[in-house]
Amino acid sequence: MRAHNLALVLHTVANSTDPPSRAAVATATGLTRATVSALVDDLVAGGLLVEVDPPPRTGAGRPAVGLTLTSAGPAGLGLEINVDYLAACVVDLTGAVRHRHVERADQRPADPAQALAALGRLAATARHAAEADGLIVAGAALAVPGLVAGGVVRVAPNLGWQDVDAVAALRAVPELAGLPITVDNEANLAALGELRVTGGPPPTGTAAPTAQAIAAAAPGVTAPAGAAPDPAAAAAGDLPIPGHPWDRRSFLYISGEIGIGAGLVIDGELYRGVRGWSGEIGHVTVYPDGRPCRCGARGCLEQYAGQEALARDEQLAAAALGIALSAVVNLLDVPVIVLGGAYAPIFGSLRDGIEAELRRRVLTAGLAPVTLRPAALGPDAAMRGAADTIIRAVREDPAAWLRRLS
Amino acid sequence: MRAHNLALVLHTVANSTDPPSRAAVATATGLTRATVSALVDDLVAGGLLVEVDPPPRTGAGRPAVGLTLTSAGPAGLGLEINVDYLAACVVDLTGAVRHRHVERADQRPADPAQALAALGRLAATARHAAEADGLIVAGAALAVPGLVAGGVVRVAPNLGWQDVDAVAALRAVPELAGLPITVDNEANLAALGELRVTGGPPPTGTAAPTAQAIAAAAPGVTAPAGAAPDPAAAAAGDLPIPGHPWDRRSFLYISGEIGIGAGLVIDGELYRGVRGWSGEIGHVTVYPDGRPCRCGARGCLEQYAGQEALARDEQLAAAALGIALSAVVNLLDVPVIVLGGAYAPIFGSLRDGIEAELRRRVLTAGLAPVTLRPAALGPDAAMRGAADTIIRAVREDPAAWLRRLS
């Protein structure tokens, strides 16, 4: 019961527009003020909430102290290994990115142990930077472009990996000692990251925020010095996030990298497949007798819209994406498609070609519109989603975090 | 509470292997014997349960009277309108088919009003036959090959229907007066019918029944005089229903008619799509520049594996099915594909061709097997599924049925 109430109080504070007082939390939760005060004391002592000065008030009476999530407590370490880069980020309890580093290098010549050792160094640096900044890294999650089961990367075709125990390799890094570490498919994690940023709480009739409002609400995001402004974020800024609740909580996230993955979110839940291996849209056939794929089949989407094909012919990529996405919509009646990874920055170039195929090939195109939009998090979505899984675990079970500290 | 307990008692009796005594029902439900007796009295008085003589016992003491679902109470009227036939069946509370009539005739020359009038006559005959047999028809459900929303058939491309209020047309039939009537997509209803027959209750570690055991447990099924034995049922008899719980409760049902529909069942739940329009596998592209389809696109599965194409070339149909089904498995990681409608009787001819494409095109083919099987109900699945929705409603809320009677 206490565990449930701790989570309820934390959730209430996290979802308030302004820092609420203890009394306001009591009203919102239906708990007594005494109970709320005891729970808040524990959450403050455990470094999850902080008290902030109230805004000046014009009325009479002493204004109450407000509560807000701490930016100096537990943090999630998000890691990503992909075909042409390694990446790490640290996200604090408020969802702000506090550290971000991307190392561009083709990982295919490296064997899994080399690649994981290099990622381990990146992770160690990130952990040091976070702790120097007053954060406590609560755990690490790794995004990989492959099929994952039981912590093991069973197959990552574009990395050339088979049965790689990535978790064990990272556990062996001395600087990561003591951290819980998980691994998951990159498109699944990116879809969760997208949901976290744009999905909002379960629909209760509130107005949908625009992408600009979402971006403005994430002031902690920092880009490395000299980085170009993110064109995906700029493109997203032009578009309101569609207003129907299902537009924000049900979508297919498609991630263009060297390979192509997808994460399907239905009503706020990630669909993982019956055995955990859904989302392999890169191997959906678009031209049955077409280009040979490294998976052994012919005509896979990846051969027409993977990053290498994309660099050669964006319009062919758009048409192939349109054919495969039409299959998704015909089968699943998904109202929104989010273009992530390498697709996000060139959303404007791909959109018309994809939409032309959707109009032509989706049976219900005239009855039920399908909205395309670029990923709100751009190419960082997978590692942000990975870090978010750590943060979400703390926010959903603060009692477990307090026990870990004590 | 009483409504909940009535459903619990009915469910317990329905899922017992042998007719349980009142005492056995009390033990199974955790209710007191007095409560169970009062509930059973109501269910017997309302014509949902009957008491049966106990089997002879060798031990001492008077054997208790057993309880079983009635075969003389409420029944569901299942209706189907498809491109080349009309059909009606009556299913009693035990799931047995008590009446079945199929009228083969091309419905495309008929306008919707004519087709629905002819179906109304079939439905009236079925209701009379059921009532002559001591049954009370509790409602009717209509299966159509099209997109349905709010009781209206929005589009049924192969019938040439658009915005047809099929429910209103059937309500106007005098012999159907007073019946609740619903309409749904035929593949969705067929998938629900398949789940009802093969899915069993939520998994609790029990052994999976074989298709033969399932067939033996449905003694009320009658075929019209002179009908050939159902080859689909024979084929299913050779196969055990796969034993993993997800094999029985998660599958894609694909229905081959003039058009092709699909119903996706995940963990015992039908997935209907975010706006209710999922399952349009007939319009998944298999050859992007291929045959023109009546939907306006090119290369739709329907043009290669619909009933008309199937009659010309079964192997081309199998390859096209394999390509489209590979997309389903790559996207959704579905472990079982059930071939229904016109595919069920020729399952043996299609299987190799489909499996060859699945082996070649599904990325996880080597990691997670995909099982193909023919629909247990063969071509009757949609109207059986329709009738089952009526029966299921009575079984899930017997209190509502008792109120309707009083």
Side-chain angles (χ1 to χ4, degrees):
Chain A
M1 183 58 92
R2 177 171 170 275
H4 171 85
N5 287 341
L6 281 168
L8 182 62
V9 168
L10 195 64
H11 178 85
T12 303
V13 173
N15 289 286
S16 298
T17 319
D18 296 316
S21 64
R22 294 175 186 223
V25 172
T27 305
T29 57
L31 300 171
T32 67
R33 287 183 63 159
T35 303
V36 167
S37 260
L39 295 166
V40 166
D41 286 345
D42 288 348
L43 292 167
V44 170
L48 295 173
L49 290 184
V50 287
E51 298 183 307
V52 292
D53 285 340
R57 276 211 300 192
T58 51
R62 191 167 57 91
V65 167
L67 297 165
T68 187
L69 291 180
T70 180
S71 56
L77 175 56
L79 305 174
E80 183 174 4
I81 184 160
N82 219 312
V83 178
D84 51 350
Y85 62 90
L86 302 173
C89 71
V90 175
V91 173
D92 71 22
L93 197 63
T94 72
V97 177
R98 302 289 290 273
H99 176 89
R100 175 187 180 280
H101 190 73
V102 177
E103 195 172 293
R104 303 232 153 248
D106 194 330
Q107 299 304 314
R108 284 169 292 190
D111 72 15
Q114 285 178 314
L116 286 161
L119 184 68
R121 288 190 291 275
L122 221 63
T125 304
R127 190 182 192 184
H128 286 148
E131 292 179 352
D133 209 12
L135 295 163
I136 308 167
V137 173
L142 168 62
V144 293
L147 301 164
V148 176
V152 173
V153 181
R154 295 297 304 275
V155 187
N158 290 307
L159 286 170
W161 288 17
Q162 194 145 10
D163 291 319
V164 173
D165 191 340
V167 168
L170 291 173
R171 279 219 186 94
V173 176
E175 292 89 345
L176 303 181
L179 285 191
I181 300 175
T182 58
V183 56
D184 200 348
N185 173 271
E186 57 99 16
N188 282 346
L189 288 169
L192 285 173
E194 184 72 23
L195 175 69
R196 187 70 181 276
V197 173
T198 64
T204 53
T206 55
T210 62
Q212 272 166 333
I214 290 165
V221 179
T222 53
D230 184 344
D238 298 332
L239 293 171
I241 302 293
H244 288 277
W246 40 252
D247 278 352
R248 296 188 293 139
R249 313 240 331 142
S250 298
F251 57 82
L252 183 88
Y253 181 97
I254 179 167
S255 168
E257 311 288 348
I258 299 296
I260 305 173
L264 177 65
V265 174
I266 298 293
D267 197 22
E269 294 287 331
L270 178 68
Y271 173 77
R272 289 182 172 274
V274 175
R275 281 89 52 106
W277 291 336
S278 62
E280 289 301 333
I281 198 171
H283 299 279
V284 163
T285 303
V286 286
Y287 299 104
D289 303 312
R291 299 177 182 165
C293 182
R294 72 169 59 212
C295 76
R298 275 187 176 272
C300 293
L301 176 63
E302 191 167 302
Q303 296 305 318
Y304 299 87
Q307 217 165 317
E308 287 164 357
L310 191 65
R312 289 194 300 270
D313 188 343
E314 284 184 4
Q315 290 321 303
L316 180 62
L321 282 167
I323 292 169
L325 291 170
S326 296
V328 172
V329 179
N330 275 317
L331 287 167
L332 297 173
D333 179 26
V334 175
V336 173
I337 290 161
V338 178
L339 297 182
Y343 302 140
I346 56 164
F347 177 75
S349 319
L350 296 173
R351 183 180 196 154
D352 287 352
I354 297 173
E355 286 187 341
E357 296 295 335
L358 290 172
R359 269 196 305 276
R360 188 178 172 206
R361 298 187 184 276
V362 172
L363 186 65
T364 57
L367 294 170
V370 175
T371 304
L372 289 184
R373 60 178 170 84
L377 295 177
D380 282 2
M383 70 170 164
R384 288 279 296 273
D388 270 343
T389 63
I390 305 296
I391 290 306
R392 192 163 44 236
V394 174
R395 283 172 60 158
E396 286 173 1
D397 190 1
W401 174 251
L402 299 182
R403 278 196 305 276
R404 249 175 89 180
L405 287 188
S406 66
Chain B
M1 184 57 91
R2 177 170 169 273
H4 172 84
N5 287 340
L6 282 168
L8 182 63
V9 168
L10 194 65
H11 178 85
T12 303
V13 173
N15 288 286
S16 297
T17 319
D18 297 314
S21 65
R22 294 176 186 223
V25 172
T27 304
T29 58
L31 300 171
T32 68
R33 287 183 64 159
T35 303
V36 167
S37 260
L39 295 166
V40 165
D41 287 346
D42 288 349
L43 292 167
V44 170
L48 295 173
L49 290 184
V50 288
E51 297 183 309
V52 292
D53 286 340
R57 276 212 297 191
T58 50
R62 189 167 58 88
V65 167
L67 297 165
T68 187
L69 291 179
T70 180
S71 58
L77 175 56
L79 305 173
E80 184 175 3
I81 184 159
N82 219 312
V83 179
D84 52 350
Y85 63 89
L86 302 173
C89 71
V90 175
V91 172
D92 72 21
L93 198 62
T94 72
V97 176
R98 301 289 291 274
H99 175 89
R100 176 186 180 282
H101 190 73
V102 177
E103 197 171 292
R104 303 231 153 249
D106 194 329
Q107 300 304 315
R108 282 169 293 190
D111 72 15
Q114 285 177 315
L116 286 161
L119 185 68
R121 290 190 290 276
L122 221 63
T125 304
R127 189 182 192 184
H128 284 147
E131 292 180 351
D133 209 12
L135 295 163
I136 308 167
V137 173
L142 168 62
V144 293
L147 300 164
V148 177
V152 173
V153 182
R154 293 297 304 273
V155 186
N158 290 306
L159 287 170
W161 288 17
Q162 194 145 10
D163 291 318
V164 173
D165 191 340
V167 167
L170 290 173
R171 279 220 186 94
V173 176
E175 292 89 345
L176 303 181
L179 285 191
I181 300 176
T182 58
V183 57
D184 200 349
N185 173 270
E186 56 99 17
N188 281 347
L189 289 168
L192 285 172
E194 183 73 22
L195 175 68
R196 187 68 182 277
V197 173
T198 63
T204 55
T206 55
T210 63
Q212 272 166 335
I214 290 164
V221 179
T222 52
D230 182 345
D238 298 332
L239 294 171
I241 302 292
H244 288 278
W246 39 252
D247 278 351
R248 296 189 291 139
R249 313 237 335 139
S250 298
F251 56 84
L252 183 88
Y253 181 96
I254 178 167
S255 169
E257 312 286 348
I258 299 295
I260 305 172
L264 177 65
V265 174
I266 298 292
D267 197 21
E269 294 287 331
L270 179 67
Y271 174 75
R272 290 180 172 275
V274 175
R275 280 86 57 104
W277 291 337
S278 63
E280 290 300 334
I281 198 171
H283 298 280
V284 164
T285 304
V286 285
Y287 299 104
D289 302 312
R291 299 176 182 166
C293 181
R294 72 170 57 214
C295 76
R298 276 186 176 273
C300 292
L301 176 63
E302 191 167 301
Q303 296 305 317
Y304 298 86
Q307 219 165 315
E308 288 164 357
L310 192 65
R312 289 194 300 271
D313 187 343
E314 284 183 3
Q315 289 323 303
L316 180 62
L321 282 167
I323 292 169
L325 291 170
S326 295
V328 173
V329 178
N330 274 319
L331 288 168
L332 298 173
D333 180 25
V334 175
V336 172
I337 291 160
V338 178
L339 296 182
Y343 302 139
I346 56 164
F347 177 75
S349 318
L350 296 173
R351 182 181 197 154
D352 286 352
I354 297 173
E355 286 186 342
E357 296 294 336
L358 290 172
R359 268 196 304 277
R360 190 178 170 207
R361 297 187 184 276
V362 172
L363 186 65
T364 57
L367 293 171
V370 176
T371 304
L372 289 183
R373 60 178 170 82
L377 296 176
D380 282 2
M383 70 169 165
R384 288 279 297 275
D388 270 344
T389 63
I390 307 296
I391 289 306
R392 191 163 45 237
V394 174
R395 284 172 60 160
E396 287 174 0
D397 190 0
W401 175 252
L402 299 181
R403 279 197 304 276
R404 244 174 92 181
L405 287 186
S406 65

